[in-house]
Amino acid sequence: MSDAFLPGNGFDTYETQDKVLVSMDGSVDCGVAVRILQQQGFGVAGAVVQLAADQSAWAAAARQAAEALGIECIVLKAEALADQPSEVLGSGNDARFAALLTAADKLGIQYIASGRYARIETDAQGMSHLFAPESGAPDESGKLAALPPEILSRLILPLGDFAPEDVAEMAEDFKL
């Protein structure tokens, strides 16, 4: 696959020392997101956010996927976050991203990322806004709509510019 396949989306100017903590779920989409971020020059680490004890098998599978990608991966056991009142964290996605952001802060990592199909754009005032993907991909922006501005400003969504067919082609090229 040529580098020309990946459009410049504002993240291609980062230096190799810029790091991103990717929410791992074991999916092919997540693997493609990792590879896109690596091609854009990011140092990538993975994290699995486990909100309940019964998610341990899923967390282990996601961690194995990270190892297959050759990246470090941590499991964040965030059961305590899941018990927080909804007015504090909102939906389960908010709890996952809050745990991811907390881990990134502790590790000294500036950005977090997800394999969701949505886009984030920053306006002239520096505020980040969530949008549906332009590519005709399934719109997952609604699942992220409740995220607070401090999370959106540090969130990278590398799949937002791609159609599912493009992601499938990249997965094949990346041998995922």
Side-chain angles (χ1 to χ4, degrees):
M1 179 166 87
S2 73
D3 288 337
F5 189 78
L6 301 177
N9 61 4
F11 296 112
D12 52 359
T13 60
Y14 287 93
E15 302 295 326
T16 305
Q17 69 268 14
D18 286 328
K19 294 183 174 76
V20 61
L21 188 62
V22 178
S23 177
M24 298 299 296
D25 62 10
S27 70
V28 171
D29 288 349
C30 187
V32 170
V34 166
R35 292 295 189 235
I36 290 171
L37 291 165
Q38 288 173 327
Q39 282 192 348
Q40 292 172 340
F42 284 99
V44 179
V48 179
V49 181
Q50 183 178 331
L51 291 176
D54 63 353
Q55 294 177 332
S56 60
W58 167 79
R63 188 167 186 189
Q64 285 178 333
E67 289 172 9
L69 291 165
I71 63 171
E72 292 182 49
C73 186
I74 57 174
V75 175
L76 305 170
K77 296 191 179 194
E79 290 98 345
L81 284 175
D83 295 332
Q84 293 292 321
S86 61
E87 59 270 6
V88 173
L89 287 175
S91 71
N93 272 333
D94 290 351
R96 288 185 195 284
F97 282 105
L100 196 64
L101 196 59
T102 299
D105 288 341
K106 288 183 180 180
L107 295 169
I109 296 175
Q110 175 66 32
Y111 301 101
I112 59 174
S114 172
R116 298 276 188 183
Y117 285 95
R119 295 177 304 113
I120 294 180
E121 293 181 10
T122 305
D123 65 20
Q125 290 76 35
M127 293 295 296
S128 297
H129 302 278
L130 192 61
F131 293 96
E134 288 185 347
S135 61
D139 182 6
E140 295 182 309
S141 61
K143 295 177 182 178
L144 305 173
L147 292 176
E150 58 272 7
I151 292 178
L152 286 178
S153 68
R154 294 176 60 187
L155 180 62
I156 300 171
L157 300 169
L159 301 184
D161 292 326
F162 298 103
E165 302 81 39
D166 296 333
V167 172
E169 181 181 332
M170 284 187 276
E172 195 172 298
D173 290 344
F174 292 140
K175 298 178 181 18
L176 300 177

